[in-house]
């Protein structure tokens, strides 16, 4: 709906000022720029892309104020468009854009998971320094099962050898026991 409104507004301005050549210049950031680019390209409009760093530098030369807002950015992008300082970039087709986005999301989630595992490992080593010498995987199912029942060193000690053995044996399906 907003994209349609934009086109109707541009049509009104082009008729009012008797313009015949409109170039849409976009800064490729945020979630909507690619959707807008494809919307415009599907309707046979010319779409150009400016580099975000260029926008920042152009804004700084226009007005040294550190204030950043959408109006200043729009003026800076339009100014770069008037100067012809844009790239002939065609956004990837939606299916490839989606794949790229999903790939980036996956990488981010894996990175986040790794960071959380490192934090957990560090906390476990501080709370149970001897644990690494007892088990091969400090984040394994057996240790998780044990810590669910006995989350502190005192709680583990109160279970006794037989209690710990039972929990670890059940969690490892008999692979680990008293030893």
């Amino acid at each position: 709906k907003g994209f349609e409104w934009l086109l109707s507004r541009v049509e009104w301005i082009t008729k009012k000022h008797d313009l015949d050549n409109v170039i849409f210049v976009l800064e490729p950031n945020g979630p909507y720029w690619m959707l807008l680019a494809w919307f415009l390209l599907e309707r046979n409009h010319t779409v150009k892309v400016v580099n975000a760093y260029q926008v920042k530098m152009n804004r700084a030369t226009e007005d040294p104020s550190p204030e950043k807002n959408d109006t200043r950015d729009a003026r800076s992008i339009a100014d770069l468009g008037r100067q012809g300082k844009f790239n002939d970039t065609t956004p990837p087709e939606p299916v490839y854009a989606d794949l790229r986005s999903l790939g980036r999301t996956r990488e981010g989630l894996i990175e986040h998971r790794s960071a959380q595992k490192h934090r957990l490992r560090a906390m476990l080593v501080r709370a149970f320094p001897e644990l690494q010498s007892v088990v091969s995987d400090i984040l394994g199912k057996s240790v998780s099962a044990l810590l669910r029942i006995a989350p502190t060193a005192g709680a583990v000690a109160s279970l006794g050898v037989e209690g710990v053995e039972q929990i670890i044996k059940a969690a490892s399906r008999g692979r680990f026991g008293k030893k």
Side-chain angles (χ1 to χ4, degrees):
K1 197 174 181 179
F3 293 170
E4 293 289 351
W5 176 87
L6 172 68
L7 280 184
S8 67
R9 181 87 172 131
V10 168
E11 278 181 37
W12 178 80
I13 291 170
T14 55
K15 285 179 185 172
K16 181 179 176 185
H17 297 286
D18 195 31
L19 304 171
D20 59 355
N21 186 19
V22 176
I23 298 173
F24 289 88
V25 182
L26 306 176
E27 179 183 12
N29 65 10
Y32 300 111
W33 84 270
M34 202 175 301
L35 297 173
L36 177 59
W38 275 110
F39 174 84
L40 295 169
L41 289 169
E42 286 172 357
R43 284 153 184 79
N44 298 317
H45 291 283
T46 304
V47 177
K48 302 293 180 178
V49 177
V50 293
N51 185 301
Y53 185 72
Q54 280 180 297
V55 174
K56 181 180 179 179
M57 291 296 106
N58 192 57
R59 187 179 61 238
T61 58
E62 286 177 2
D63 179 4
S65 164
E67 180 185 322
K68 180 188 179 338
N69 60 47
D70 290 343
T71 304
R72 284 188 68 198
D73 283 351
R75 280 193 192 114
S76 185
I77 292 166
D79 186 44
L80 289 168
R82 277 191 297 277
Q83 295 174 40
K85 294 182 178 177
F86 44 70
N87 301 317
D88 290 327
T89 303
T90 303
E93 291 183 35
V95 68
Y96 297 115
D98 289 346
L99 281 172
R100 182 182 296 166
S101 177
L102 288 170
R104 284 186 186 139
T105 300
R106 181 179 182 273
E107 286 174 15
L109 290 171
I110 289 169
E111 195 174 299
H112 181 72
R113 180 185 66 186
S114 294
Q116 296 305 319
K117 280 183 170 182
H118 289 304
R119 280 193 195 112
L120 179 58
R121 190 174 281 116
M123 290 171 60
L124 287 173
V125 167
R126 262 181 280 167
F128 301 98
E130 66 286 340
L131 194 57
Q132 283 184 302
S133 63
V134 178
V135 295
S136 60
D137 183 7
I138 198 168
L139 299 178
K141 289 181 182 178
S142 299
V143 174
S144 294
L146 176 62
L147 293 176
R148 247 184 252 114
I149 294 167
T152 65
V156 172
S158 69
L159 289 173
V161 174
E162 286 76 26
V164 171
E165 179 188 7
Q166 268 185 328
I167 294 167
I168 289 178
K169 200 172 203 172
S172 68
R173 296 183 186 168
R175 285 184 39 224
F176 302 114
K178 194 170 194 170
K179 184 180 172 192

